[in-house]
Amino acid sequence: MAKQLLRAQKVIDCTGAPPVENGGVLIDGERIIAVGKESDIRQGADIEVIDCSGQVLMPGIIDCHNHLSLDTTLENHLFKMADPVPELTLRAVSTLKVDLLAGVTTARCCGDKAFIDIACKRAVESDRIQGPRLRVATRGIRASHGHGYVGYAFDGLEPIRSAVRENILAGADFIKLYITGTTKGDGSLPAFLSKSEISLAVQEARRVGRKTATHCIGGQGMEWALELGIDSIEHAYYISDAQIDRLGATHSRLVMTPSPFFIEDRLETLPKHLADGFRRERDGVAERLRAIIGSGIAFAVGTDGRHGGMAQEARLLVDLGAAPEDVLVAITRNGAAVCGLEDQTGTLEPGKLADIIGVVGNPLKDIGALQNVRTVMKAGRIYKFSSPG
């Protein structure tokens, strides 16, 4: 098979190096072998040239927090997680393709029903369905009185121990815990799982080399998550300044998901009382997200079920004060690190998988260019391509 050269107006490799004008990416099979000016990396006459003139090439996007069978475009989407498993599975297959064609080449599923995400991961790997490369948590672990429409209730130490072990046996790449709710409500920010339950889950996962992630917006639950060394904090809508400082001093990573509070068409598919709750807290959440961005802490980004919506998440973060270059790193290199795939994807470098997208417009100047994805390549295979003109 001939080597492939993707020719572009500009290449942004997300390593921190400056963009390459009139650049290209040279691929051999699934892997990148060179990145630079086309004239410098072109090798021989047997190269297949893929003309992405007029496009800016960058690493494939990584949606670091989604749920395959959760579709926020559906009316009452949270409650539709109680739909029959065949319906959820069909939905997951559909959303995977939506994500891939929007430029998402790797996705991290932070919980789904009935081990659907494990089946989808294997189907993608065997080319039975199209979708991003997947890292999966399968059943999210929550308390019976706590939050988690995508989770399952497990109360007490032994049930949680069994749940963690069963998830890992089924093929979970990491373990997902629901510690808090999503909105502040009356302001008490309760932790629904106890400290001992959280600690047990972390220990069970860590002993066999699995990471942990938690749905946690703040309060006592955030204190425990940081103290016990949970590997990723998801959402953090009400993280305090002191907790931001603590987070920055730990190995834990942060995944930002702004759209539940700021995208109106997402709120319009919720019952009015839930949507109004999100709207009431919008200003407070915006202040906290600005504090996170201002702290300089590295973060990754997820859509939380708004499939194909990573461009909108990126736009929200820029509107909240993040620099476009930092957001590009967040949705590529930082996402790869959260997924444990930083040696395989997240940047355009020799030796890494050829996960590449082409967009019209310069996202370093206008992050909205991410909405104009014209080329999608995953591991050297093209899933979407628009020729010049």
Side-chain angles (χ1 to χ4, degrees), residues 93 96-97 116-131 378 381 383:
V93 171
L96 279 167
K97 189 170 184 178
I116 289 170
D117 52 351
I118 301 238
C120 286
K121 176 183 177 181
R122 292 171 179 164
V124 168
E125 290 172 347
S126 61
D127 281 335
R128 286 180 288 158
I129 61 174
Q130 290 188 3
K378 186 187 77 171
R381 177 178 172 184
Y383 291 86

Side-chain angles (χ1 to χ4, degrees), residues 245-266:
D245 291 341
R246 286 189 63 194
L247 176 59
T250 70
H251 79 282
S252 299
R253 297 182 180 273
L254 176 65
V255 180
M256 304 263 272
T257 57
S259 67
F261 285 87
F262 301 101
I263 298 291
E264 272 300 315
D265 64 18
R266 178 173 185 146

Side-chain angles (χ1 to χ4, degrees), residues 1-7 11 24-36 41-43 46-52 57-58 347-357 375-382:
M1 180 178 177
K3 295 174 183 176
Q4 296 177 302
L5 175 66
L6 274 69
R7 169 196 293 152
V11 176
V25 183
L26 187 63
I27 299 157
D28 189 358
E30 294 185 345
R31 302 276 171 177
I32 296 170
I33 58 175
V35 181
I41 66 174
R42 192 180 183 103
Q43 298 177 4
D46 61 340
I47 291 175
E48 177 191 358
V49 176
I50 300 170
D51 191 359
C52 300
L57 297 183
M58 58 176 278
T347 57
L348 301 182
E349 297 180 87
K352 290 197 173 182
L353 290 166
D355 293 348
I356 305 166
I357 66 170
T375 299
V376 177
M377 172 181 277
K378 186 187 77 171
R381 177 178 172 184
I382 292 178

Side-chain angles (χ1 to χ4, degrees), residues 341-387:
L341 296 172
E342 60 267 46
D343 61 337
Q344 297 293 315
T345 191
T347 57
L348 301 182
E349 297 180 87
K352 290 197 173 182
L353 290 166
D355 293 348
I356 305 166
I357 66 170
V359 303
V360 175
N362 184 355
L364 290 172
K365 294 183 177 179
D366 178 7
I367 202 70
L370 296 176
Q371 292 183 303
N372 302 316
V373 175
R374 300 296 175 85
T375 299
V376 177
M377 172 181 277
K378 186 187 77 171
R381 177 178 172 184
I382 292 178
Y383 291 86
K384 181 178 183 178
F385 176 67
S386 296
S387 60

Side-chain angles (χ1 to χ4, degrees), residues 61-66 68 96 99 104-109 132-136 339:
I61 294 170
I62 299 177
D63 183 342
C64 237
H65 186 118
N66 75 9
L68 304 186
L96 279 167
D99 287 331
V104 175
T105 54
T106 301
R108 179 169 170 263
C109 182
R133 178 180 305 104
L134 291 172
R135 302 291 278 178
V136 299
C339 292

Side-chain angles (χ1 to χ4, degrees), residues 183-380:
T183 58
K184 197 172 185 179
D186 64 7
S188 60
L189 284 179
F192 295 110
L193 293 175
S194 69
K195 184 178 181 181
S196 60
E197 288 172 324
I198 299 166
S199 178
L200 175 71
V202 171
Q203 292 170 25
E204 284 292 320
R206 187 174 293 159
R207 192 168 60 251
V208 291
R210 298 298 193 279
K211 292 185 177 181
T212 49
T214 181
H215 175 118
C216 187
I217 67 168
Q220 182 62 64
M222 183 71 73
E223 295 293 326
W224 290 340
L226 294 172
E227 177 186 341
L228 296 171
I230 288 184
D231 295 285
S232 70
I233 309 296
E234 317 287 317
H235 313 303
Y237 296 130
Y238 284 103
I239 191 170
S240 69
D241 288 342
Q243 289 166 343
I244 291 173
D245 291 341
R246 286 189 63 194
L247 176 59
T250 70
H251 79 282
S252 299
R253 297 182 180 273
L254 176 65
V255 180
M256 304 263 272
T257 57
S259 67
F261 285 87
F262 301 101
I263 298 291
E264 272 300 315
D265 64 18
R266 178 173 185 146
L267 294 178
E268 288 168 0
T269 61
L270 291 175
K272 186 177 185 301
H273 71 282
L274 291 180
D276 287 347
F278 281 99
R279 293 185 183 105
R280 280 194 299 271
E281 298 186 23
R282 183 176 287 164
D283 290 345
V285 169
E287 189 275 327
R288 288 291 80 208
L289 297 188
R290 290 191 186 99
I292 292 169
I293 292 166
S295 75
I297 287 177
F299 58 87
V301 184
T303 61
D304 203 6
R306 185 177 166 79
H307 295 280
M310 281 293 284
Q312 289 83 7
E313 304 289 341
R315 165 59 69 190
L316 287 171
L317 289 166
V318 169
D319 290 345
L320 287 164
E325 56 266 32
D326 291 337
V327 173
L328 289 189
V329 168
I331 65 174
T332 56
R333 189 173 75 196
N334 292 354
V338 171
C339 292
L341 296 172
E342 60 267 46
D343 61 337
Q344 297 293 315
T345 191
T347 57
L348 301 182
E349 297 180 87
K352 290 197 173 182
L353 290 166
D355 293 348
I356 305 166
I357 66 170
V359 303
V360 175
N362 184 355
L364 290 172
K365 294 183 177 179
D366 178 7
I367 202 70
L370 296 176
Q371 292 183 303
N372 302 316
V373 175
R374 300 296 175 85
T375 299
V376 177
M377 172 181 277
K378 186 187 77 171

